Amino acid sequence: RAWCFAVDALRGERTTRRAHDSHLASPIWDPSKAADVPVGSRSTMEGRYFATTKKGEVAEWKIELRNMDKDRRKDAVKKVIAAMTVGKDVSSLFPDVVNCMQTDDLEMKKLVYLYLINYAKSKPDLAIMAVNTFVKDSQDYNPLIRALAVRTMGCIRVDRITEYLCDPLQKCLKDRDPYVRKTAAICVVKLHDISPRLVEDHGFLDQLRDLLSDPNPMVVANAVAALSEIQEHSEVEVLKITKMMLSKLLAALGECTEWGQVFILDALAQYDTKDTREAEMIIERVVPRLQHVNGAVVMSAVKVILKNVERSGRSETTFPIYRKLAPSLVSLLSAEPEVQYVALRNINLIVQRYPTLLQHEVKVFFCKYNDPVYVKLEKLDILVKLVSMKNIDQVLLELKEYSTEVDLVFVRRSIGAIGRCAVCLEAATERCISVLVEIVQTRVNFLVQQAVIVIVDIFRRYPNRFEGVITILCENLQTLDDPEAKAALVWVLGEYADRISNASDLLETFLETFPEEEPQVQLQLLTSTVKLFLKNPSQKPQQMIQLVLSNATGENDNPDLRDRAYIYWRLLSSDPEGTKDVLFSKKPAIGNNLGQLDPELLQGLLANISTISSVYHELPDNFVSAENRSMRRHRTSSSGGVVSFGENGESGLDLPTESTKSAVGGYEGDKEASHKCTIDDLLGLGDAPAPVDQSQPHHEEQSGEQGTQPAGTEEMPSAESALPPVDSMPILLSVEKGKGLQIRGTIMMQEGTPVFHLHLLNTSQSNLSGFRIQFNKNAFGLSPASQHVKAPIVEPSSSAQTVVQLKMDSDAIVDTAAPSVLQVAVKNDVIGVSYFVARLNLESILSTTERLSPARFVECWQNLPSECEKSKSFPHAKIEDIEEVVAKLEESFLHCLARRKVENSDRLVLFLGGVVMPKSEPLLIELSYSQGRNGVQCCVKCERTKLGQMALEACCQMLEQYMVNEQ
């Protein structure tokens, strides 16, 4: 976009311009000749801005930028942008360029905004000067300027400017002009990338969802694109398509741009239809996209259709939609080679799942002379998958023709494709063998060797058949120099030694050069010679076996060859008949599923058609690391060293590093503090022993005695009866991430003290012991009372349940983006450190003993500013039994303090309150509803706005269980 701004601005220059002073009369531009300059030479005129000028040009530009003449200033800005484009540092002109923002000239604004985007990060203190102009331009009468202002503010990644973006962005999302709305939708994504908290606090996600119902299809497409982008970096469901939304997306599909269609189609591919009728309706609306000129639209449409075809329950032969897919896929092969390759990789997946879809289009996949080799190789792979008895002759003729090409890799794969055809189609094996024999008879060294390798594979697939070919192979013995081809022919000599009259003579020619052969040839020679001896135990084979065994055991340093030779030697010495059973036992035949993907993997790849995953033929999890997927969500706070783990709190860290040492927990400074000690030992970053509580007598840890109390560990209360059921506790650490250790857990209040219930499951092969635990800094000052976890040794395939007592320290409270997220590190003596996240609920942070009085509720409500208030409405829902709601809130230690009826209305209001530990912060809740009618509103006030947002989400989630939605 930055480059587009520059080009648009430069192209907007007028062809003629008055010469105001001698500067414009330079040799680069002569106003007297302006009339002689043809229109087509505009690029020559624009090129003067990029011409090298004399020393001191920055000082000249500074003077020109301060000139009162508008044309002179614009000319100077263009020169500055040109210098910036070629990499010259013009940041020293920042104040002068910013002063040029105050103009009605759209071209000038684009140039200045481009400059700001480039240098605002290095000049944040000066960039703040432009905020007022940005805000003013976001309210301009010209929609282009309004959109330009919001887009530029979103591109400037400076926190101080981002704070001023929210209000203009909210207005632009509701702007009367669709161009402004669609630009603002994309700006929300940029803001979310900078600060997800701001997006959530200002309700931008809800506004984006509202834009899905916008009458303008471009706005709908951009809203879908924005929500899809945010969904990739968020664990919560941001884009949820309902039945009503589905019809609106389908209506917008045919009227937006091609890339807007791609975003909408990708969103539809994530929608799970409710029944067959809905699936067929989606297919019917998406089918016209198959004729689009853009290949991305076609492939996205194919993905949506294939998913819904499976849900419709119709087969390939009965559903006519399959006949419409084939021409669309074939048309992609007339594009550029790069597009062809991507299309072929996707088609490769489709034909594996739907083999009859393109069975009549096999000629399309014949290679052209000018196809790049990567396209040819993909076409070969698809040809083999489409081969059938109806087209085998055509395919074999084409493959034989390919064997005369000059590219050796392509020739090798072509001959290999003939063998794959024989393996897949038993009825066509004879024809394939005939073609291979013709290739061997060409006497071309490279072709003969590759054909020998392929024929041997056919022998293994169909043993004791086509033995007449062996003579032809043996005639070309002297032409073989490739190790793989030699090993293949030696295998034939040993396998069919009883049917080849001169097998011993042929093998003897290889034995003469035994020490110089490649390891794979030596191994095969050893085995084939032993087979020859067992089938023909005459004097010559006996001499040959002695020669081979002596060479393999005495004059060779290859351990594989030496070990095999010793095994054969001992077998032959002790039990010759047993050796026959070993060497001549029935071997598994080569399968006919060559090149086929695992069905489960194939299903996952079909769901990712038109993405890079379908090109790699790998699921996204295999080549996109967890750290890269969550990179945007992980930010380190500038104060306190707190790590933000995103909405679900997942760190994506697998191994502790030096950065992890300071980030996961931020334990620096006073190592005597209880919430900062021994983090090096916990995370495996140091060798310092865990500190011992000097007030307690020292005990040695003895894993064999259950009553042993580890040093520094407080005595746990007897609370087995209060342990929650294992199935009710969420999985905090999966087996894969825990390297064999699974952890379930939940935090709750027990006798006025927070405790962490843990269930440890060991699926590894080692005993797990020596568990220790630590928390990152959090919004409630929570930390373990002791880092040592009182748990028995967890043996393989067994589990243990334990309780970790927690404490709350008001001095350890830090402000975090997600108060409900508690980041935990657990270490044991075998696996090491594992990181996971636990969720805090209201029951785990509200006091069970302290209670708000109605008078304090009123006082706090009046004293807290409006910024501390968070609310959410449910206009289409009603509460049927308010007493059940009150009882549920009481269980979470939110006490009902008063009830009031609104005058002249049927609205009822409940006032509830709780006390947040450890600082006894009041949490105020106002719940209003109409008895038996729609309309519920929940309002929360708390001094800490993030804590209030957490409480609001928890209350609304609980209310949804007792509300009836009549929308």
Side-chain angles (χ1 to χ4, degrees):
R1 294 195 186 98
W3 176 248
C4 292
F5 282 174
V7 173
D8 289 345
L10 292 175
R11 287 181 176 175
E13 181 196 16
R14 294 189 293 271
T15 307
T16 60
R17 182 184 292 111
R18 294 175 298 169
H20 292 282
D21 52 20
S22 59
H23 175 72
L24 290 179
S26 65
I28 298 175
W29 171 250
D30 187 356
S32 64
K33 299 180 181 179
D36 299 330
V37 178
V39 176
S41 64
R42 175 177 294 178
S43 60
T44 304
M45 294 159 50
E46 294 169 353
R48 68 191 180 91
Y49 295 111
F50 297 90
T52 304
T53 57
K54 60 183 180 295
K55 187 177 181 180
E57 59 188 1
V58 175
E60 291 184 8
W61 294 340
K62 184 184 287 285
I63 295 173
E64 292 179 21
L65 288 170
R66 297 176 181 177
N67 196 294
M68 298 302 294
D69 187 275
K70 294 182 179 179
D71 291 336
R72 289 286 300 278
R73 285 204 307 273
K74 182 189 291 188
D75 193 67
V77 171
K78 289 181 179 180
K79 292 177 182 178
V80 172
I81 297 298
M84 182 185 74
T85 304
V86 296
K88 187 172 293 186
D89 184 14
V90 288
S91 59
S92 60
L93 300 174
F94 196 94
D96 302 288
V97 176
V98 170
N99 288 335
C100 297
M101 288 180 65
Q102 301 292 343
T103 178
D104 295 331
D105 190 339
L106 181 59
E107 182 183 355
M108 174 76 89
K109 279 189 180 292
K110 287 184 178 181
L111 291 170
V112 176
Y113 282 177
L114 174 60
Y115 181 90
L116 284 172
I117 292 172
N118 196 51
Y119 285 115
K121 195 169 184 179
S122 60
K123 302 277 186 179
D125 295 333
L126 295 176
I128 201 69
M129 297 164 44
V131 167
N132 289 334
T133 306
F134 282 133
V135 175
K136 180 182 175 183
D137 286 350
S138 67
Q139 301 172 0
D140 194 274
Y141 70 93
N142 188 340
L144 294 178
I145 294 179
R146 295 199 300 272
L148 182 63
V150 173
R151 179 170 57 185
T152 306
M153 289 181 75
C155 291
I156 298 177
R157 302 179 65 86
V158 177
D159 292 338
R160 296 177 63 183
I161 290 183
T162 304
E163 296 173 0
Y164 293 93
L165 172 62
C166 297
D167 291 338
L169 183 56
Q170 280 188 328
K171 295 178 182 177
C172 289
L173 285 170
K174 300 177 181 178
D175 196 278
R176 61 183 180 277
D177 191 279
Y179 178 76
V180 180
R181 296 198 299 273
K182 80 180 187 67
T183 304
I186 298 300
C187 190
V188 174
V189 182
K190 298 176 181 178
L191 179 61
H192 186 273
D193 186 48
I194 300 170
S195 176
R197 177 184 57 81
L198 283 177
V199 173
E200 296 170 5
D201 291 349
H202 288 78
F204 287 130
L205 293 179
D206 291 333
Q207 289 183 271
L208 279 180
R209 296 186 188 101
D210 293 340
L211 290 181
L212 295 175
S213 303
D214 196 277
N216 188 284
M218 284 303 305
V219 178
V220 175
N222 278 24
V224 172
L227 289 170
S228 300
E229 179 75 14
I230 294 173
Q231 180 71 71
E232 291 182 7
H233 306 286
S234 176
E235 294 299 327
V236 298
E237 191 173 23
V238 176
L239 178 59
K240 184 177 181 180
I241 301 178
T242 61
K243 192 169 185 178
M244 183 180 298
M245 191 187 302
L246 174 65
S247 60
K248 294 177 180 177
L249 292 180
L250 290 172
L253 185 59
E255 301 180 25
C256 56
T257 64
E258 52 192 5
W259 297 114
Q261 294 180 37
V262 171
F263 282 114
I264 293 177
L265 288 168
D266 287 345
L268 291 175
Q270 305 301 321
Y271 177 69
D272 293 327
T273 54
K274 304 298 187 296
D275 49 40
T276 302
R277 182 178 178 182
E278 192 175 45
E280 294 186 357
M281 184 268 292
I282 293 176
I283 293 173
E284 183 181 353
R285 299 290 292 273
V286 173
V287 162
R289 303 301 101 210
L290 295 175
Q291 301 175 2
H292 202 281
V293 69
N294 190 317
V297 177
V298 174
M299 291 310 305
S300 296
V302 169
K303 175 168 61 176
V304 175
I305 291 173
L306 290 180
K307 177 178 179 178
N308 287 281
V309 159
E310 292 187 356
R311 293 189 174 274
S312 69
R314 305 276 289 276
S315 66
E316 299 176 57
T317 56
T318 60
F319 206 174
I321 187 62
Y322 287 100
R323 294 193 292 271
K324 297 181 181 180
L325 286 175
S328 301
L329 294 173
V330 168
S331 66
L332 296 175
L333 302 184
S334 59
E336 300 81 5
E338 294 79 8
V339 177
Q340 286 187 53
Y341 178 74
V342 174
L344 287 168
R345 294 292 284 177
N346 283 272
I347 291 172
N348 199 329
L349 299 174
I350 294 172
V351 296
Q352 290 185 52
R353 179 66 177 81
Y354 307 98
T356 62
L357 185 62
L358 294 170
Q359 62 180 352
H360 301 299
E361 307 290 344
V362 68
K363 287 186 178 181
V364 177
F365 300 98
F366 287 171
C367 300
K368 301 177 183 177
Y369 74 95
N370 58 347
D371 280 342
V373 65
Y374 56 86
V375 171
K376 289 181 177 179
L377 297 179
E378 280 303 312
K379 286 185 174 180
L380 276 180
D381 200 19
I382 296 174
L383 271 178
V384 176
K385 292 180 172 65
L386 294 178
V387 71
S388 64
M389 291 306 299
K390 295 181 180 179
N391 55 33
I392 184 64
D393 293 327
Q394 284 181 310
V395 172
L396 288 178
L397 186 63
E398 190 74 11
L399 293 175
K400 181 183 176 183
E401 188 70 23
Y402 296 158
S403 65
T404 61
E405 293 281 345
V406 295
D407 190 289
L408 298 184
V409 175
F410 179 55
V411 171
R412 183 184 291 111
R413 291 283 291 273
S414 300
I415 298 176
I418 298 174
R420 290 172 61 188
C421 291
V423 170
C424 295
L425 292 175
E426 183 176 358
T429 307
E430 233 178 283
R431 300 183 217 179
C432 297
I433 287 286
S434 301
V435 174
L436 290 170
V437 169
E438 292 178 17
I439 293 175
V440 170
Q441 291 174 342
T442 60
R443 304 290 181 177
V444 178
N445 189 21
F446 177 77
L447 299 182
V448 172
Q449 295 185 120
Q450 189 61 32
V452 168
I453 296 171
V454 172
I455 290 174
V456 168
D457 286 339
I458 297 176
F459 283 172
R460 288 173 174 165
R461 171 65 177 165
Y462 307 108
N464 302 320
R465 294 174 58 183
F466 314 110
E467 296 172 8
V469 183
I470 297 176
T471 305
I472 300 174
L473 298 181
C474 294
E475 292 173 357
N476 295 273
L477 184 65
Q478 301 301 326
T479 63
L480 303 181
D481 54 20
D482 181 67
E484 189 177 358
K486 282 185 178 181
L489 188 54
V490 169
W491 177 88
V492 172
L493 295 175
E495 192 71 16
Y496 297 94
D498 53 338
R499 303 176 195 181
I500 303 175
S501 57
N502 60 340
S504 57
D505 297 332
L506 296 175
L507 276 176
E508 192 174 17
T509 59
F510 287 104
L511 294 180
E512 295 172 0
T513 58
F514 183 87
E516 291 81 27
E517 297 290 354
E518 292 292 327
Q520 67 183 109
V521 180
Q522 292 177 334
L523 288 166
Q524 195 58 61
L525 274 172
L526 173 61
T527 303
S528 295
T529 305
V530 174
K531 287 182 179 179
L532 173 66
F533 172 73
L534 292 174
K535 291 183 178 182
N536 183 20
S538 59
Q539 184 178 2
K540 187 172 184 179
Q542 188 173 357
Q543 294 174 350
M544 291 172 61
I545 193 66
Q546 290 176 349
L547 176 63
V548 170
L549 291 175
S550 61
N551 284 335
T553 56
E555 302 177 8
N556 198 286
D557 57 358
N558 185 343
D560 292 334
L561 179 64
R562 189 170 57 248
D563 291 349
R564 184 182 293 188
Y566 277 125
I567 291 173
Y568 285 157
W569 200 331
R570 289 171 184 171
L571 281 173
L572 291 171
S573 303
S574 60
D575 186 8
E577 292 300 322
T579 309
K580 290 183 179 181
D581 295 337
V582 173
L583 288 177
F584 300 127
S585 60
K586 187 176 181 180
K587 303 172 186 65
I590 296 176
N592 60 356
N593 58 344
L594 299 176
Q596 297 288 334
L597 296 174
D598 179 74
E600 189 173 339
L601 172 61
L602 179 61
Q603 191 65 28
L605 293 176
L606 287 172
N608 287 280
I609 282 180
S610 77
T611 67
I612 197 170
S613 176
S614 63
V615 178
Y616 285 170
H617 285 190
E618 293 282 350
L619 293 176
D621 291 341
N622 294 346
F623 59 88
V624 180
S625 66
E627 186 173 357
N628 289 336
R629 287 197 302 271
S630 55
M631 187 180 298
R632 289 183 172 179
R633 304 200 304 270
H634 302 169
R635 290 182 171 81
T636 303
S637 173
S638 57
S639 61
V642 179
V643 178
S644 173
F645 281 45
E647 295 215 11
N648 72 330
E650 233 178 280
S651 70
L653 300 175
D654 295 326
L655 295 174
T657 62
E658 284 302 315
S659 60
T660 314
K661 177 179 176 180
S662 59
V664 182
Y667 296 89
E668 297 177 0
D670 185 9
K671 304 233 172 158
E672 298 297 326
S674 61
H675 63 284
K676 296 183 178 180
C677 63
T678 68
I679 190 65
D680 283 351
D681 179 68
L682 172 65
L683 299 181
L685 302 171
D687 298 325
V692 179
D693 189 352
Q694 301 297 331
S695 63
Q696 300 290 339
H698 178 71
H699 299 281
E700 292 184 359
E701 293 185 17
Q702 298 185 19
S703 59
E705 298 179 10
Q706 295 182 354
T708 302
Q709 182 72 12
T713 305
E714 298 180 6
E715 186 67 33
M716 297 294 296
S718 178
E720 277 69 14
S721 60
L723 290 175
V726 174
D727 293 339
S728 67
M729 294 189 287
I731 297 176
L732 305 179
L733 181 68
S734 63
V735 172
E736 292 76 15
K737 289 188 177 180
K739 302 175 184 177
L741 171 65
Q742 183 194 79
I743 298 180
R744 292 175 177 263
T746 184
I747 298 176
M748 60 177 59
M749 283 287 182
Q750 188 171 297
E751 299 179 0
T753 304
V755 294
F756 199 175
H757 292 281
L758 292 176
H759 178 267
L760 311 174
L761 174 63
N762 181 11
T763 63
S764 68
Q765 302 300 317
S766 305
N767 292 337
L768 301 183
S769 61
F771 288 93
R772 281 161 284 174
I773 189 169
Q774 186 57 287
F775 295 168
N776 198 354
K777 291 183 179 180
N778 51 80
F780 305 100
L782 270 172
S783 64
S786 171
Q787 290 183 2
H788 292 270
V789 178
K790 183 183 178 182
I793 295 177
V794 187
E795 298 179 349
S797 303
S798 63
S799 62
Q801 199 161 350
T802 185
V803 179
V804 178
Q805 278 203 329
L806 307 179
K807 61 181 179 180
M808 287 183 166
D809 185 356
S810 58
D811 295 331
I813 291 177
V814 295
D815 190 21
T816 61
S820 61
V821 170
L822 181 64
Q823 302 155 9
V824 185
V826 168
K827 180 180 179 181
N828 63 70
D829 296 338
V830 178
I831 296 175
V833 185
S834 301
Y835 304 99
F836 60 87
V837 166
R839 288 280 181 177
L840 296 173
N841 50 33
L842 292 180
E843 294 94 325
S844 60
I845 61 172
L846 292 178
S847 173
T848 58
T849 56
E850 194 172 354
R851 184 168 181 151
L852 277 182
S853 65
R856 191 184 176 198
F857 180 98
V858 175
E859 179 186 0
C860 294
W861 188 278
Q862 294 173 349
N863 293 337
L864 288 175
S866 58
E867 291 78 9
C868 298
E869 184 175 331
K870 301 289 181 182
S871 64
K872 186 172 183 179
S873 300
F874 302 90
H876 304 290
K878 65 179 180 180
I879 298 177
E880 293 189 334
D881 190 348
I882 191 63
E883 298 305 325
E884 289 186 359
V885 175
V886 173
K888 183 64 177 178
L889 291 171
E890 291 278 355
E891 291 178 5
S892 300
F893 312 117
L894 288 171
H895 308 290
C896 183
L897 306 178
R899 306 189 188 205
R900 179 172 60 87
K901 185 177 184 302
V902 181
E903 295 183 3
N904 302 322
S905 173
D906 60 350
R907 300 286 292 178
L908 299 174
V909 182
L910 268 67
F911 301 97
L912 305 105
V915 179
V916 181
M917 300 292 286
K919 296 174 65 175
S920 298
E921 298 174 80
L923 178 63
L924 315 176
I925 299 177
E926 181 185 274
L927 178 62
S928 61
Y929 68 100
S930 298
Q931 188 68 36
R933 293 180 56 186
N934 291 347
V936 180
Q937 184 178 34
C938 182
C939 181
V940 176
K941 261 193 175 185
C942 186
E943 186 175 355
R944 286 192 281 171
T945 56
K946 294 173 185 175
L947 177 57
Q949 183 66 33
M950 169 189 168
L952 178 64
E953 293 173 358
C955 290
C956 291
Q957 185 177 4
M958 186 276 299
L959 284 173
E960 289 173 353
Q961 302 175 11
Y962 298 93
M963 290 191 303
V964 178
N965 197 321
E966 297 185 351
Q967 185 175 7

